[in-house]
Amino acid sequence: MFNLFLAVSPEIFLINATFILLIHGVVFSTSKKDDYPPLVSNVGWLGLLSVLITLLLLAAGAPLLTIAHLFWNNFFRRDNFTYFCQILLLLSTAGTISMCFDSFEKERFDAFEFIVLIPLPTRSMLLMIPAHDLIAMYLAIELQSLCFYVIAASKRKSEFSTEAGSKYLILGAFPSGILLFGCSMIYGSTGATHFDQLAKILTGYEITGARSSGIFMGILFIAVGSLFKITAVPFHMWAPDIYEGSPTPVTAFLSIAPKISIFANMSRVSIVASYGGTLQQIFFFCSIASMILGALAAMAQTKVKRPLAHSSIGHVGYIRTGFSCGTIEGIQSLLIGIFIYASMTIDAFAIVPALRQTRVKYIADLGALAKTNPILAMTFSITMFSYAGIPPLAGFCSKFYLFFAALGCGAYFLAPVGVVTSVIGRWAFYYIRLAKRMFFDRPRTWILYEPMDRDKSLLLAMTSSFITSSFPYPSPLFDLTHQMALSSYL
Amino acid sequence: MEHTYQYAWVIPLLPLPVIMSMGFGLFLIPTATKNLRRIWAFPSILLLSIAMVFSVHLSIQQINGSSIYQYLWSWAINNDFSLEFGYLIDPLTSIMLILITTVGILVLIYSDDYMSHDEGYLRFFVYISFFNTSMLGLVTSSNLIQIYFFWELIGMCSYLLIGFWFTRPIAASACQKAFVTNRVGDFGLLLGILGFFWITGSLEFRDLFKIANNWIPNNGINSLLTTLCAFLLFLGAVAKSAQFPLHVWLPDAMEGPTPISALIHAATMVAAGIFLLARLLPLFISLPLIMSLISLVGTITLFLGATLALAQRDIKRSLAYSTMSQLGYMMLALGIGSYQAALFHLITHAYSKALLFLGSGSIIHSMEPLVGYSPDKSQNMVLMGGLRKYIPITRTTFLCGTLSLCGIPPLACFWSKDEILSNSWLYSPFFGIIASFTAGLTAFYMFRIYLLTFDGYLRVHFQNYSSTKEGSLYSISLWGKGISKGVNRDFVLSTTKSGVSFFSQNIPKIPRNTRNQKGSFSAPFGAKNTFVYPHETGNTMLYPLLILLFFTLFIGSIGIHFDNGVKDNGISELTILSRWLTPSINFFQESSNSSINSYEFLTNAISSVSLAILGLFIAYIFYGSAYYFFQNLNFQNSLVKIKKNPKKNFLDEVKKKIYSWSYNRGYMDVFYTRVFILGIRRLAELTHFFDKGVIDGITNGVGLAGFCIGEEIKYVGGGRISSYLFFFLCYVSLFLFFIP
């Protein structure tokens, strides 16, 4: 018996918790009696706690489902795929929150609203993953984007942050409009918004060979909207600016959590709407472009966060090769890619704020880190090597499976391009350059960094042990992703 | 009962904790660890003893119950490919387990004393225990991937241990040589494994044998690919067991410490190749071509090893060549399909050779204070002699080892070698002739080693107080005569005579050599140590020798054919070994049955023993105490008939050639250096040029271009929202028009 309340209890809890947190913050931070206390750390811990409780509720409330369940007017669909994606999403959100505390203190950034603004988009992403209807999908995406616009501008006194926020708002409005336009075109052509109905209609079209330019344009616009959100290459230009301008925890959040939810959503859409190969071709083109650009553009950068943004663009390109296959192996390799990408990115972004934001802006500042903070330097270079996809680390696993799937479905052009860009850009110039800076450069002025705080070092220990251990013992990850991919097709 | 099998996986892992704690101790608290170093020997020996008890228990169960036990864990599973790892306990494994653990324990005990003054005592124990771990892992492997894994580990341990005294350039180059030579074989092994995976789709022994069994009814499969893959697998065994084309590393490997030579390069690691072939025999048996290749390679090696051992001066090197020759015997036995004889010889040879090597270590230990610590001197048999007075226990054990290896009846190697000889006669007279001839040769060179070392009188002092001429004559003729027997054993008399003219011819050379030798070794310590005599080594080193002596004496009994007349379905033999091995292999009953007949056995034994005794006798004539008699005789004779027989000159030429062939290791090392090493150097220069000029140019060009493009991209858009939106809409319309 499928218990509806249990199924949605995580979302309900998270909404309530967010509002309670907000009220708590408003009441106490303005109370004269308590001398206007700085609440950011307090609210941060509470936020982390509420995310973890959500995780618990999710894990307890919806045990492994072998059959998919539709609920709430068939707006949402819950199966193994959504279950694990949501767990991953919550884990990465928890990671992001836990890496914030220290940087708040360091930067005198006292705005508890920021923490409140993290669970809010998390909840919308939680809804976005199981969304199984165009309307639900659009609403979830919009809610998420609105939160992001605010969060990007959360450091009000920094002109970079405000610039990033406003840019994001303006640029984000267009793809949202296009997405909605695409949805309405599909609805206009078919009269359906539910994915199951759409799947039936589109299969019918495919079998009869009829062509409808309305459906085609609709799918295209939805794809373009999603590609924008996920920073695929022709629509990527906003990403480096915004990633660089926003505070580092925001950048971390923006480059991990939405990727998971949008990928989950896109894989739903792509399974439904494999109409005339349209999506495949677009994804194919975008993957190649992203890989090449991610490799080349990162080379000339001199700042620390900008290359990380480019690297996320490139990685998203790699992961998207999973879509261009259109097979179950493709989806599986995509999921493996996301899992590993999330852990590597948390790792990388936990390190960057550890090297105090105010000083580390340029790559050159990392010089001789190996002498001053050897363990940190080693962790950072392990992460970089994993990004580059060097064998005993997790990054290799994900790339290997992605290219394997691409070759398996006959994308004989995609895989070699991926390998070549992976080698050229990342290997030689960019990731290794960071490692070289840390280990072999002798800067004129030595920068001494403070040791890392405990939350972050715990987080780093967890993610980097995942990175190093998932290659020697990969079968749990494979089993998991295989189940997920399977259930998304059922 | 089942519990023992279930926990058998612990055997290879047992020595591991000590290794890890020693290694971490050396890294983290080096001073404390080094101060407590002698204590560490105890837990490593203890854990290996536990492994031994375990494996003895397993083999008793194997003898009684004889069931094959396999346990697997899955490691990586995909749609069309599953990789499992686990362990396999069958008779072969249990024999090897006992062998490795017993020899390993004795060598550990021995090396506690042998290495006690060495700086790298702990490092040595770490390496040797790690070797034990990986060797035990190798024999318990249940699939080819695991075999390959442990194969590489033992290769690595061997590399580390040969180069243990890495500050000596010879040792450093020797370990490189061993490693590179083994790489050839390892590469072949890997290719073979992958090839078989391609053919059969599995790496498990069970599946491989099942498939191979299906080939047998079709008179073997004649596919070129299968033969090639089997050949590649065989190549791995050739390199590891020092067989003919890839044997060059084994003599050089004697640069390592002597316990290592005993454990790795005589008893266990070199037997890994034999083990691999024995393990895969059900597979090879379906490929007649490969089987004959194996026996051919074995024959060449056994003959080559015996001839090369004839003129070596270094005691360990002679033993190494003898090891190579004995491994050739095992290979031959496997090639002709007598599985049981090969394994029997493997066991007996391992104990005897470990005894001999440990004995030689004891000799070296006792010689070192006299002649200095350079292996050129302390292992040089020219400087030994007459040691029986000073180190009687070592001498007794060494003599027993020698006799065993020669094939003198009550000792271990007699039983196994005799079985191999009779089987090879049955298989083909060609192999039989060579094998029997080499058996005689073995007796000759082994006894030569013994006599040079223990017989006569100590030549270090002899150099000092004897007359110059006589002493140098002795050493020259020593080497000059060593060869002649190898060629024509029929002309025993003529060789003694021919020694004469050879002797006289060489007289002009003598003074020069004398000077050199005196200058080189007798001068530095002649004044100081003239009357120092060798001492027997400590008890810690002697106990292992005695225990090995016990093994050498009695281990043969597990393979003796007792004629109890219990004849049911034709199998009348009741040897422990055959009971042990029978269930795992059923193909060889014919060959072993044929040797049941006690009469036949007796004739075989008599012929082989007489050959061995002939060899012994000849060696005694030339190197024993009787030599002096002949020497005098020769000397007189030489005065008389200096130019009497012109035919002798030709014989001398032949002898000289054979001597230098043997002393220069058959010119094979020179050949390899000239052809392979120089060739590869040339190729490397060529590719280096190509790499610098062409490849680097392309790479740098691509990098430069990428960097320029990166700089360009950085400025595209320029951060303006309007231009971003422009590009965005451009691309959307582009998609709309160009993607149909």
Side-chain angles (χ1 to χ4, degrees):
Chain A
M1 178 59 201
F2 182 68
N3 191 332
L4 182 62
F5 176 74
L6 270 185
V8 292
S9 62
E11 283 90 347
I12 292 172
F13 172 77
L14 198 56
I15 294 169
N16 291 332
T18 317
F19 288 131
I20 291 167
L21 269 183
L22 190 59
I23 293 163
H24 164 82
V26 169
V27 167
F28 280 97
S29 69
T30 53
S31 79
K32 198 173 178 183
K33 194 177 71 188
D34 294 332
D35 206 12
Y36 305 109
L39 273 178
V40 65
S41 177
N42 176 320
V43 174
W45 280 110
L46 289 175
L48 180 60
L49 202 66
S50 56
V51 169
L52 290 178
I53 291 174
T54 315
L55 186 62
L56 217 64
L57 280 175
L58 180 65
L64 286 177
L65 299 168
T66 44
I67 323 162
H69 286 280
L70 296 171
F71 60 98
W72 273 359
N73 295 329
N74 299 341
F75 266 23
F76 300 102
R77 169 185 154 129
R78 201 177 279 278
D79 52 15
N80 277 346
F81 182 79
T82 55
Y83 179 65
F84 287 115
C85 274
Q86 283 175 337
I87 285 180
L88 179 64
L89 176 74
L90 288 172
L91 281 176
S92 57
T93 309
T96 319
I97 295 178
S98 67
M99 76 173 78
C100 297
F101 301 130
D102 187 45
S103 61
F104 287 148
E105 273 172 38
K106 290 260 177 66
E107 294 173 31
R108 316 241 178 286
F109 178 67
D110 182 22
F112 70 91
E113 298 90 345
F114 174 76
I115 295 292
V116 178
L117 281 172
I118 288 183
L120 211 59
T122 305
R123 187 251 336 199
S124 67
M125 285 184 270
L126 280 183
L127 290 175
M128 198 166 141
I129 292 168
H132 209 242
D133 190 293
L134 285 177
I135 295 169
M137 182 185 88
Y138 177 73
L139 287 178
I141 289 181
E142 258 328 272
L143 185 51
Q144 177 217 29
S145 306
L146 283 174
C147 297
F148 283 164
Y149 304 149
V150 181
I151 217 176
S154 60
K155 205 171 174 185
R156 290 182 302 252
K157 284 162 198 156
S158 149
E159 63 258 41
F160 290 110
S161 181
T162 44
E163 184 204 339
S166 50
K167 254 186 191 170
Y168 198 6
L169 172 64
I170 297 169
L171 288 172
F174 274 78
S176 287
I178 283 184
L179 188 75
L180 192 58
F181 185 44
C183 293
S184 57
M185 283 190 99
I186 286 183
Y187 180 66
S189 317
T190 62
T193 55
H194 194 254
F195 283 178
D196 284 347
Q197 294 169 358
L198 281 176
K200 275 174 203 154
I201 293 165
L202 292 178
T203 335
Y205 269 104
E206 200 142 1
I207 291 166
T208 54
R211 297 183 66 85
S212 152
S213 52
I215 295 176
F216 165 66
M217 276 173 69
I219 291 171
L220 179 72
F221 284 149
I222 290 176
V224 165
S226 312
L227 286 172
F228 177 90
K229 301 276 176 201
I230 213 165
T231 66
V233 149
F235 318 111
H236 69 286
M237 289 182 195
W238 58 278
D241 285 359
I242 285 156
Y243 283 10
E244 198 201 350
S246 344
T248 315
V250 175
T251 315
F253 189 57
L254 286 185
S255 56
I256 305 166
K259 305 279 192 272
I260 300 168
S261 61
I262 296 175
F263 264 126
N265 196 349
M266 276 171 87
S267 67
R268 286 255 188 258
V269 178
S270 78
I271 289 163
V272 170
S274 53
Y275 171 58
T278 317
L279 274 179
Q280 249 88 317
Q281 285 183 25
I282 295 170
F283 287 147
F284 184 77
F285 171 76
C286 290
S287 298
I288 290 174
S290 304
M291 287 179 208
I292 292 172
L293 186 117
L296 293 181
M299 266 188 248
Q301 305 296 343
T302 48
K303 296 172 183 171
V304 171
K305 272 161 69 183
R306 239 181 134 81
L308 283 177
H310 278 112
S311 126
S312 114
I313 291 173
H315 265 276
V316 166
Y318 287 111
I319 295 173
R320 211 169 30 247
T321 53
F323 280 137
S324 19
C325 303
T327 55
I328 196 162
E329 280 82 18
I331 299 288
Q332 188 191 350
S333 62
L334 175 117
L335 290 168
I336 293 174
I338 294 174
F339 269 74
I340 289 168
Y341 168 78
S343 66
M344 287 192 304
T345 314
I346 289 175
D347 210 42
F349 276 106
I351 291 168
V352 173
L355 310 168
R356 275 186 33 211
Q357 165 71 21
T358 44
R359 300 298 301 274
V360 179
K361 196 165 181 187
Y362 296 95
I363 295 173
D365 293 342
L366 290 173
L369 188 67
K371 285 272 181 295
T372 53
N373 291 32
I375 295 177
L376 188 61
M378 222 176 294
T379 322
F380 200 22
S381 35
I382 283 177
T383 316
M384 286 299 126
F385 284 128
S386 175
Y387 263 138
I390 290 171
L393 299 168
F396 172 74
C397 236
S398 82
K399 274 186 190 164
F400 175 77
Y401 268 86
L402 284 165
F403 296 146
F404 203 67
L407 284 177
C409 72
Y412 294 117
F413 180 63
L414 195 61
V417 168
V419 172
V420 167
T421 52
S422 159
V423 167
I424 293 178
R426 322 185 145 254
W427 177 275
F429 282 94
Y430 161 44
Y431 296 118
I432 308 298
R433 197 173 65 170
L434 286 182
K436 183 211 151 214
R437 280 251 181 261
M438 287 186 283
F439 281 88
F440 301 111
D441 275 14
R442 291 277 165 279
R444 257 165 290 148
T445 53
W446 285 52
I447 303 173
L448 290 174
Y449 300 106
E450 287 171 35
M452 211 187 295
D453 62 325
R454 207 175 51 193
D455 323 320
K456 225 174 285 170
S457 46
L458 255 171
L459 187 69
L460 272 180
M462 283 191 282
T463 48
S464 45
S465 64
F466 176 74
I467 288 174
T468 44
S469 67
S470 73
F471 182 73
Y473 188 51
S475 41
L477 189 60
F478 288 171
D479 284 348
L480 191 73
T481 48
H482 188 71
Q483 266 186 7
M484 288 165 71
L486 207 63
S487 74
S488 73
Y489 267 92
L490 283 175
Chain B
M1 273 308 220
E2 280 298 304
H3 283 303
T4 330
Y5 283 125
Q6 274 172 17
Y7 291 106
W9 55 267
V10 91
I11 293 178
L13 297 180
L14 266 175
L16 216 53
V18 187
I19 306 167
M20 286 167 76
S21 49
M22 269 198 274
F24 279 121
L26 278 178
F27 264 117
L28 302 176
I29 36 169
T31 329
T33 318
K34 275 182 186 157
N35 286 338
L36 295 170
R37 58 193 211 153
R38 293 298 285 274
I39 294 173
W40 284 108
F42 179 70
S44 43
I45 294 168
L46 180 76
L47 284 179
L48 201 57
S49 316
I50 296 171
M52 183 187 75
V53 171
F54 224 126
S55 43
V56 167
H57 188 65
L58 275 181
S59 16
I60 289 169
Q61 287 190 12
Q62 282 291 335
I63 292 172
N64 293 333
S66 59
S67 63
I68 297 174
Y69 186 84
Q70 193 175 24
Y71 191 88
L72 298 172
W73 291 274
S74 60
W75 182 50
I77 296 179
N78 205 339
N79 293 342
D80 49 349
F81 170 74
S82 78
L83 198 54
E84 292 169 322
F85 66 99
Y87 59 89
L88 173 73
I89 306 291
D90 70 341
L92 179 61
T93 303
S94 58
I95 289 178
M96 292 300 287
L97 281 179
I98 290 191
L99 178 70
I100 294 159
T101 46
T102 44
V103 178
I105 288 169
L106 294 173
V107 166
L108 276 178
I109 296 170
Y110 180 90
S111 42
D112 173 49
D113 195 10
Y114 192 87
M115 304 297 291
S116 59
H117 297 294
D118 199 284
E119 206 181 346
Y121 178 87
L122 278 177
R123 191 159 56 93
F124 182 82
F125 266 80
V126 171
Y127 288 168
I128 201 168
S129 303
F130 191 55
F131 171 78
N132 284 333
T133 303
S134 30
M135 191 72 201
L136 291 172
L138 177 75
V139 297
T140 48
S141 305
S142 73
N143 59 26
L144 282 171
I145 285 292
Q146 241 174 309
I147 287 257
Y148 183 72
F149 181 77
F150 288 114
W151 191 268
E152 290 293 319
L153 277 185
I154 58 173
M156 186 197 76
C157 290
S158 156
Y159 166 79
L160 290 173
L161 285 164
I162 293 169
F164 184 74
W165 289 311
F166 52 84
T167 45
R168 273 210 325 250
I170 310 171
S173 64
C175 70
Q176 277 175 23
K177 190 174 184 178
F179 196 72
V180 171
T181 317
N182 269 312
R183 283 315 308 171
V184 178
D186 293 348
F187 191 57
L189 181 67
L190 181 61
L191 284 183
I193 289 172
L194 294 178
F196 269 108
F197 181 68
W198 192 31
I199 296 167
T200 63
S202 172
L203 294 165
E204 295 289 322
F205 293 132
R206 266 178 323 187
D207 305 345
L208 280 179
F209 297 161
K210 220 177 280 171
I211 292 162
N213 265 328
N214 292 337
W215 295 339
I216 290 177
N218 313 331
N219 265 333
I221 193 155
N222 290 321
S223 150
L224 188 67
L225 184 68
T226 318
T227 317
L228 182 70
C229 289
F231 170 72
L232 287 170
L233 278 182
F234 173 56
L235 197 64
V238 164
K240 200 58 95 192
S241 290
Q243 297 297 300
F244 158 58
L246 299 175
H247 65 275
V248 287
W249 66 273
L250 187 61
D252 283 1
M254 296 301 133
E255 289 300 330
T258 313
I260 291 313
S261 312
L263 178 67
I264 297 188
H265 304 119
T268 54
M269 189 191 86
V270 288
I274 310 291
F275 168 78
L276 180 71
L277 289 190
R279 174 63 92 205
L280 293 177
L281 203 61
L283 183 71
F284 284 115
I285 207 104
S286 57
L287 302 163
L289 196 64
I290 291 295
M291 288 299 273
S292 43
L293 182 71
I294 292 172
S295 46
L296 187 67
V297 167
T299 316
I300 292 173
T301 312
L302 71 93
F303 185 67
L304 190 74
T307 48
L308 294 187
L310 289 178
Q312 297 301 323
R313 293 183 198 197
D314 189 311
I315 183 168
K316 281 172 72 182
R317 242 164 231 207
S318 324
L319 288 175
Y321 277 118
S322 138
T323 307
M324 180 181 141
S325 166
Q326 301 301 317
L327 288 169
Y329 272 112
M330 297 170 211
M331 207 54 109
L332 169 67
L334 282 176
I336 60 179
S338 56
Y339 174 82
Q340 195 181 321
L343 280 185
F344 190 23
H345 196 56
L346 175 69
I347 298 162
T348 54
H349 167 256
Y351 286 116
S352 310
K353 200 41 87 51
L355 173 66
L356 283 173
F357 264 114
L358 292 186
S360 77
S362 171
I363 293 165
I364 292 164
H365 221 57
S366 62
M367 286 300 285
E368 270 174 349
L370 269 77
V371 294
Y373 289 85
S374 157
D376 280 344
K377 291 163 194 163
S378 62
Q379 300 178 11
N380 197 339
M381 287 190 290
V382 179
L383 303 179
M384 297 172 187
L387 292 178
R388 69 165 179 269
K389 273 179 286 188
Y390 312 114
I391 45 174
I393 302 175
T394 308
R395 178 242 178 187
T396 320
T397 52
F398 200 87
L399 178 64
C400 281
T402 308
L403 289 177
S404 160
L405 214 57
C406 298
I408 302 299
L411 295 166
C413 277
F414 160 73
W415 304 103
S416 54
K417 196 184 256 184
D418 189 59
E419 209 170 323
I420 294 179
L421 287 183
S422 59
N423 284 344
S424 63
W425 274 108
L426 282 174
Y427 183 76
S428 143
F430 171 68
F431 290 148
I433 288 168
I434 291 182
S436 313
F437 176 63
T438 311
L441 220 54
T442 308
F444 174 75
Y445 70 73
M446 283 313 297
F447 221 65
R448 169 176 169 271
I449 295 170
Y450 171 75
L451 289 173
L452 281 177
T453 313
F454 291 102
D455 211 40
Y457 45 91
L458 198 60
R459 283 182 288 273
V460 177
H461 301 308
F462 172 77
Q463 288 288 345
N464 290 327
Y465 56 63
S466 66
S467 78
T468 316
K469 198 160 191 173
E470 215 179 325
S472 56
L473 280 182
Y474 186 90
S475 61
I476 290 293
S477 57
L478 187 72
W479 310 116
K481 280 192 176 178
I483 9 106
S484 53
K485 284 97 262 156
V487 233
N488 38 7
R489 49 176 42 250
D490 299 329
F491 308 110
V492 181
L493 279 175
S494 77
T495 41
T496 56
K497 277 180 206 151
S498 68
V500 176
S501 51
F502 183 61
F503 192 59
S504 51
Q505 269 180 351
N506 269 348
I507 285 180
K509 285 185 190 168
I510 288 163
R512 187 164 49 93
N513 282 345
T514 317
R515 296 272 148 69
N516 289 343
Q517 288 203 338
K518 274 199 79 168
S520 63
F521 58 78
S522 56
F525 35 83
K528 212 167 106 188
N529 288 335
T530 312
F531 295 105
V532 173
Y533 287 102
H535 292 292
E536 186 68 281
T537 43
N539 284 339
T540 329
M541 278 162 76
L542 289 178
Y543 285 138
L545 283 179
L546 293 174
I547 297 169
L548 278 173
L549 176 66
F550 171 79
F551 274 121
T552 311
L553 288 175
F554 298 111
I555 201 75
S557 60
I558 64 165
I560 302 173
H561 299 277
F562 297 109
D563 250 345
N564 283 8
V566 188
K567 296 208 183 236
D568 30 314
N569 44 359
I571 305 167
S572 73
E573 47 189 346
L574 273 180
T575 75
I576 301 171
L577 192 70
S578 66
R579 268 180 66 188
W580 207 342
L581 288 177
T582 310
S584 74
I585 206 106
N586 299 317
F587 308 110
F588 313 109
Q589 284 308 327
E590 322 90 287
S591 54
S592 52
N593 275 344
S594 50
S595 64
I596 300 161
N597 193 325
S598 62
Y599 171 72
E600 215 173 295
F601 169 73
L602 213 60
T603 48
N604 278 331
I606 285 170
S607 64
S608 70
V609 169
S610 59
L611 266 173
I613 287 177
L614 191 65
L616 283 187
F617 183 65
I618 297 167
Y620 191 68
I621 289 174
F622 290 106
Y623 299 106
S625 317
Y627 171 75
Y628 304 112
F629 168 71
F630 282 105
Q631 194 190 17
N632 293 334
L633 192 77
N634 293 343
F635 207 60
Q636 286 157 12
N637 284 350
S638 67
L639 296 175
V640 183
K641 37 178 180 178
I642 256 183
K643 285 220 167 185
K644 206 164 188 182
N645 203 343
K647 211 173 121 193
K648 291 264 163 59
N649 283 330
F650 172 69
L651 273 177
D652 288 339
E653 284 298 308
V654 171
K655 259 183 301 166
K656 244 165 79 190
K657 286 228 172 80
I658 288 166
Y659 165 69
S660 57
W661 189 74
S662 175
Y663 184 66
N664 292 318
R665 307 149 162 221
Y667 299 109
M668 236 163 259
D669 288 34
V670 183
F671 175 74
Y672 283 170
T673 317
R674 291 255 167 84
V675 176
F676 292 121
I677 297 178
L678 283 185
I680 286 172
R681 287 241 166 96
R682 297 246 165 78
L683 191 69
E685 272 164 25
L686 196 72
T687 46
H688 178 71
F689 171 74
F690 183 73
D691 182 52
K692 275 278 161 203
V694 183
I695 308 271
D696 274 14
I698 292 172
T699 324
N700 289 340
V702 169
L704 209 63
F707 200 75
C708 293
I709 295 170
E711 283 289 340
E712 282 297 312
I713 289 173
K714 207 164 118 181
Y715 298 109
V716 170
R720 278 202 306 275
I721 294 176
S722 50
S723 68
Y724 286 173
L725 286 179
F726 173 69
F727 279 117
F728 178 72
L729 291 176
C730 271
Y731 282 117
V732 171
S733 45
L734 210 68
F735 277 152
L736 214 54
F737 288 118
F738 286 97
I739 296 180

